[in-house]
Amino acid sequence: MEISIIALPLISSIIAGFFGKFIGDRNSEIITSFLVTISAILSLLVLYEVIVNQYQENIIIATWINSGTLDVNWSMKIDSLSAVMLVVVTLISSLVHIYSIGYMSHDPHKPRFMAYLSLFTFAMLMLVTSDNFIQLFFGWEGVGLCSYFLIGFWFKKDTANSAAIKAFVVNRVGDFGFALGIFLIFYLFGTVNYSEVFEQIPMIIDKNLIFLGMEVNAIDLICLFLFAGAMGKSAQILLHTWLPDAMEGPTPVSALIHAATMVTAGVFLIVRCSPIYEYSDLALNIITIVGMSTAFFAATVALVQTDIKKIIAYSTCSQLGYMFFAAGVGAYNVAMFHLFTHAFFKALLFLGSGSVIHAFKDEQNINNMGGVWKKLPYTYTLMIIGTLALTGFPFLSGFYSKDAIIEFAYLRGNTTGYYAATIGIFTAFITSIYSWRLMFKTFHGEYNNKNIKIEETHESPLVMLIPLVLLSVGAIFAGFIFKELFIGYGGVNNFWQDSIFFLKPLSTEHPPFWFLILTPILVILSIPISYYLFIKNKNLSELIANNNKPLYLFLLNKWYFDELYDLIFVKSSKKFGLFLWKFFDVKLIDGFGPDGISIFIKKCSLKAKKIQSGYIYQYAFIMLLAFSALLTFLIIK
């Protein structure tokens, strides 16, 4: 049963990819959706076994590498952590597959798209079920490759190709650090298997290494290298620039990449390696700072964006920041709880935005929408549920997980924890403002689209709405149902067993009452504030933007990260490459190589050509000179 969870998406990818043109578009869609749905059902059964019977298993599928001390297997590690990820990945993926049947109905390359989705799912499943760092890296690179295929799926669009390349290159930066971390682990421990590495970590607590001329603690160095990989994959600040551009892919791709799979791989990595990170206060503090900085940065940028998908993409970036600073304060289980609930409401919002885009015939600018809540009642209602869950409205899923992160950051009791909690509360308020801005501008107010009549907008078909309904159930109830299971009393219970390691038990205290109610109050207040700013008195929001033009442009241009990277890396690299080409390639290599030799031979041939004049007396004179030279040589000899 367990192996089928991984095998079925791979089989569906092969069928759709290699035989799609023979079996037809509709059969490709049905087969891939059916097989991935079966995988999701089996994943739910595995999670049930883990919850009820504390089921754990490490299934060896095949031997992969066996050389010296390096012994690596293809395996499937089943424990609490991987069981949760299996459900998240397969469940969201199956709903995205079904949704894609309606959304991609007019696309001429449906089998290829479904094959990419299934292959992406397979790579993510390989990642989360690995029992060693090499298989983890295989899945890690697999989702990176598939994201390149999916983001650039509409390859005739230059912007899609550029976005795909950007995602691929930026992720390679983080993956370079990740690879160094794996090399260092093998160098220190002689193995890359989780269990063997984690057992030896306490033995090298005081071991130092020389890195770049500095003496660094070995565990700190391992953690920072691994975190570099997590930053790239999970789009944390400095390595986040690929994520909003990835919206060039079809909307189902956005839901799959940004809700449950690729971007959560970094969070999963940190939590899986908790037996290492618990011994590195430096790394945990850095993770907390990066996480809360990302949460704040992305939320501020989302305030002024106008592309409906990019607003939700920056929201994803911000929520990932919450997950990271939860891990940074040692609340790994809470980070996983938010990852779990986030998958439902963020997939709901992405697929809901796809329904809106479908209704507006590919329009994505929220300024060109408005006034359609009666025309799209189901999409509107479902997106309201997703928005309430995202903002942390009381008793929806986001309320339980996001507030838990802020509370555990406060209970950490150190400066970093207090700072993270403060930023978390303020970011939650901003999140609520931009989320309701999106809803009000999209569905309320006046109808602003000049290209499409409001009568032409229409509700999405059932094949697109049913996945939204199922996701809305998770967005409403997942937090309440799974709160005790994931967090439990004091943050630790039997569910996680030894899949998450706590060196220091999480605090069992409760924050002050005023602290507990502060975030929900701000979230509730943000609704009338947003309505007043973006519907009732739109001139006020425009006046605020005009009076703070530098700040507005700063946020609109995403803190100028793209421009800064273009100046520092892109333009300088192009200039350096141009210099290498013109000087080394053209002048040195070509000049003294093939071009130089050919020019020399050409010149010699032109000189020799002049000897062939056609006059007999010149030929006789040359023969005489040659004969004289030969006689002279023989006499001297």
Side-chain angles (χ1 to χ4, degrees):
M1 178 178 74
E2 292 86 348
I3 296 176
S4 299
I5 295 172
I6 294 177
L8 290 174
L10 178 61
I11 293 169
S12 70
S13 176
I14 292 171
I15 292 173
F18 290 101
F19 306 103
K21 64 180 180 180
F22 302 110
I23 63 176
D25 294 354
R26 182 46 55 94
N27 287 332
S28 296
E29 293 170 335
I30 292 172
I31 289 171
T32 52
S33 300
F34 176 74
L35 292 179
V36 175
T37 301
I38 294 299
S39 181
I41 293 170
L42 295 176
S43 297
L44 288 169
L45 293 176
V46 169
L47 180 61
Y48 176 80
E49 285 295 316
V50 170
I51 295 172
V52 175
N53 300 319
Q54 287 77 49
Y55 172 64
Q56 289 194 55
E57 189 61 73
N58 190 15
I59 303 166
I60 306 299
I61 300 172
T63 300
W64 185 15
I65 304 171
N66 192 344
S67 176
T69 59
L70 183 61
D71 187 11
V72 177
N73 297 314
W74 286 112
S75 61
M76 190 170 182
K77 181 179 177 67
I78 302 295
D79 61 3
S80 306
L81 187 58
S82 61
V84 169
M85 291 301 296
L86 284 175
V87 169
V88 169
V89 172
T90 56
L91 195 58
I92 301 300
S93 180
S94 62
L95 294 175
V96 168
H97 274 73
I98 296 168
Y99 178 92
S100 299
I101 295 174
Y103 190 86
M104 303 295 287
S105 59
H106 302 297
D107 194 275
H109 305 291
K110 290 186 276 291
R112 179 165 63 90
F113 182 75
M114 302 304 282
Y116 287 165
L117 288 181
S118 296
L119 186 61
F120 190 102
T121 307
F122 164 73
M124 191 67 192
L125 293 175
M126 291 301 296
L127 189 159
V128 301
T129 58
S130 62
D131 76 338
N132 62 80
F133 286 98
I134 302 297
Q135 185 182 327
L136 173 71
F137 193 72
F138 169 82
W140 194 272
E141 294 304 305
V143 293
L145 176 65
C146 293
S147 70
Y148 172 80
F149 291 152
L150 288 166
I151 295 167
F153 179 76
W154 287 323
F155 55 86
K156 292 184 179 179
K157 289 173 60 180
D158 290 337
T159 51
N161 289 326
S162 298
I165 293 170
K166 185 176 184 180
F168 197 77
V169 171
V170 173
N171 271 277
R172 296 294 73 71
V173 176
D175 292 354
F176 177 69
F178 186 26
L180 289 178
I182 295 174
F183 296 153
L184 183 56
I185 286 171
F186 182 69
Y187 169 75
L188 290 171
F189 305 112
T191 181
V192 290
N193 295 315
Y194 293 154
S195 57
E196 296 171 6
V197 171
F198 297 159
E199 284 176 5
Q200 298 180 59
I201 288 295
M203 303 175 190
I204 64 159
I205 293 176
D206 299 320
K207 185 176 179 62
N208 292 331
L209 299 171
I210 302 299
F211 178 71
L212 299 178
M214 299 180 292
E215 189 175 10
V216 186
N217 181 268
I219 294 180
D220 289 343
L221 197 56
I222 291 171
C223 290
L224 293 176
F225 278 145
L226 295 180
F227 181 56
M231 283 181 67
K233 199 65 73 183
S234 294
Q236 294 302 282
I237 194 167
L238 302 180
L239 294 178
H240 68 279
T241 53
W242 67 270
L243 187 140
D245 289 9
M247 296 299 103
E248 290 295 334
T251 300
V253 173
S254 304
L256 190 61
I257 291 177
H258 297 134
T261 55
M262 180 170 161
V263 294
T264 60
V267 181
F268 169 79
L269 173 65
I270 302 300
V271 177
R272 173 61 82 194
C273 294
S274 57
I276 307 177
Y277 279 93
E278 279 292 271
Y279 290 96
S280 176
D281 289 335
L282 172 65
L284 289 176
N285 285 330
I286 290 174
I287 291 171
T288 306
I289 293 168
V290 170
M292 62 187 173
S293 301
T294 304
F296 174 73
F297 151 75
T300 58
V301 173
L303 276 172
V304 297
Q305 298 302 305
T306 56
D307 186 310
I308 187 171
K309 285 171 67 177
K310 286 192 176 181
I311 294 171
I312 302 173
Y314 276 109
S315 170
T316 299
C317 193
S318 182
Q319 297 307 305
L320 288 165
Y322 274 101
M323 297 175 207
F324 272 102
F325 84 66
V329 298
Y332 306 100
N333 53 337
V334 184
M336 287 302 301
F337 185 35
H338 194 51
L339 185 155
F340 183 75
T341 59
H342 175 263
F344 292 103
F345 59 73
K346 189 52 59 69
L348 175 59
L349 286 171
F350 266 119
L351 297 184
S353 72
S355 184
V356 172
I357 294 166
H358 189 263
F360 278 92
K361 298 180 180 177
D362 297 328
E363 176 61 66
Q364 294 185 197
N365 191 328
I366 60 174
N367 290 329
N368 296 330
M369 300 178 184
V372 293
W373 68 276
K374 290 183 179 178
K375 292 288 293 181
L376 311 174
Y378 301 116
T379 300
Y380 172 68
T381 303
L382 293 166
M383 284 196 71
I384 284 282
I385 293 171
T387 300
L388 289 169
L390 168 64
T391 58
F393 194 83
F395 310 117
L396 273 75
S397 59
F399 165 74
Y400 292 101
S401 57
K402 188 189 293 185
D403 279 27
I405 291 173
I406 295 170
E407 289 168 22
F408 276 104
Y410 177 85
L411 292 173
R412 187 69 174 177
N414 57 13
T415 304
T416 308
Y418 290 139
Y419 185 46
T422 304
I423 294 294
I425 293 170
F426 185 60
T427 303
F429 177 69
I430 299 175
T431 300
S432 197
I433 293 290
Y434 72 66
S435 297
W436 288 109
R437 170 180 175 263
L438 183 151
M439 290 300 300
F440 289 137
K441 278 184 167 289
T442 301
F443 292 101
H444 290 273
E446 297 177 0
Y447 184 77
N448 298 312
N449 198 301
K450 297 178 181 178
N451 300 320
I452 308 166
K453 294 180 180 179
I454 191 168
E455 292 79 15
E456 295 178 22
T457 59
H458 57 85
E459 188 61 271
S460 297
L462 274 177
V463 73
M464 292 173 64
L465 290 176
I466 289 173
L468 294 178
V469 172
L470 294 175
L471 288 168
S472 68
V473 174
I476 296 171
F477 299 110
F480 175 76
I481 293 172
F482 290 95
K483 176 171 67 76
E484 288 300 319
L485 185 72
F486 278 71
I487 303 176
Y489 180 75
V492 182
N493 62 14
N494 291 329
F495 171 69
W496 295 109
Q497 301 179 60
D498 58 354
S499 61
I500 296 179
F501 177 74
F502 295 95
L503 184 64
K504 302 172 184 176
L506 295 177
S507 175
T508 57
E509 297 178 6
H510 293 284
F513 179 73
W514 65 267
F515 185 85
L516 293 174
I517 64 171
L518 180 58
T519 306
I521 288 174
L522 290 175
V523 166
I524 294 170
L525 286 176
S526 68
I527 301 175
I529 292 172
S530 300
Y531 180 79
Y532 183 78
L533 285 174
F534 304 115
I535 296 296
K536 197 73 175 175
N537 190 359
K538 290 188 287 187
N539 294 331
L540 179 59
S541 60
E542 294 172 3
L543 182 66
I544 293 172
N546 291 328
N547 289 340
N548 298 275
K549 201 72 174 180
L551 177 61
Y552 175 75
L553 292 174
F554 180 70
L555 298 180
L556 188 65
N557 288 285
K558 302 157 288 188
W559 290 27
Y560 293 102
F561 272 108
D562 284 309
E563 290 78 5
L564 184 64
Y565 287 173
D566 187 60
L567 178 66
I568 296 174
F569 299 113
V570 178
K571 290 182 178 177
S572 59
S573 297
K574 284 183 177 178
K575 288 180 181 178
F576 185 59
L578 199 62
F579 165 74
L580 291 177
W581 171 57
K582 286 187 174 181
F583 182 75
F584 284 96
D585 242 23
V586 176
K587 291 187 177 180
L588 292 182
I589 298 173
D590 290 345
F592 290 98
D595 290 349
I597 293 171
S598 62
I599 292 170
F600 175 74
I601 292 173
K602 184 179 180 180
K603 287 181 179 179
C604 291
S605 64
L606 289 174
K607 295 290 183 184
K609 179 183 175 184
K610 293 179 180 179
I611 299 174
Q612 306 295 326
S613 63
Y615 296 110
I616 294 174
Y617 68 86
Q618 288 184 353
Y619 295 159
F621 178 69
I622 292 171
M623 290 170 66
L624 181 62
L625 284 178
F627 183 67
S628 300
L630 180 61
L631 284 177
T632 304
F633 175 74
L634 292 172
I635 291 168
I636 293 173
K637 187 175 179 181

